[in-house]
Amino acid sequence: MNNIVWLSKWYKENCNGDWEHDYGILIETLDNPGWSIRVDLTDTDIRIKDKSWSLYEEKENDWYGYKIEDGKFEASGDEMKLDFLIGIFRKIVLEYKDSFQQ
């Protein structure tokens, strides 16, 4: 399953008649250029401890960064990183869920 389909499924699983009215997912473009994604984890089954912003930059046009703060996953990256950013969120969620199934 690709990352966009996975994110759509994750969103659908968290829509319960209330959550989607106050929380959700925001994907925007940046003017440098690039992508920004924010996923609100409030009132979901995911409880991930905060992680300060980390920037990973190979070149001027090859970069991404992310943080987890106050129950929100936030990530940004260059114009070719949208799928990659969603993949970071996916990996974090799956690792969280796996840690409870062991």
Side-chain angles (χ1 to χ4, degrees):
M1 174 182 330
N2 72 45
N3 289 328
I4 297 288
V5 172
W6 178 88
L7 184 64
S8 299
K9 184 177 176 189
W10 185 88
Y11 172 75
K12 181 180 179 182
E13 289 171 357
N14 284 282
C15 290
N16 62 10
D18 291 320
W19 181 82
E20 64 273 16
H21 293 284
D22 295 317
Y23 310 109
I25 300 168
L26 179 65
I27 298 174
E28 298 181 305
T29 56
L30 302 172
D31 63 357
N32 56 336
W35 292 99
S36 173
I37 179 171
R38 185 181 74 221
V39 183
D40 201 324
L41 301 168
T42 304
D43 289 341
T44 69
D45 63 348
I46 307 298
R47 305 283 180 271
I48 302 170
K49 65 182 189 175
D50 287 356
K51 178 193 179 310
S52 60
W53 178 261
S54 295
L55 177 65
Y56 305 90
E57 188 170 17
E58 293 292 320
K59 297 183 266 185
E60 182 178 342
N61 295 324
D62 185 5
W63 63 274
Y64 71 95
Y66 73 96
K67 70 178 180 176
I68 301 166
E69 185 175 87
D70 298 326
K72 292 180 183 69
F73 169 84
E74 297 181 41
S76 300
D78 66 65
E79 64 270 22
M80 297 305 294
K81 293 282 191 309
L82 180 58
D83 183 68
F84 181 80
L85 297 174
I86 295 168
I88 292 171
F89 177 66
R90 180 182 187 176
K91 180 179 178 193
I92 289 169
V93 167
L94 294 177
E95 285 175 355
Y96 175 84
K97 288 186 175 189
D98 284 348
S99 70
F100 284 98
Q101 294 176 355
Q102 295 179 2

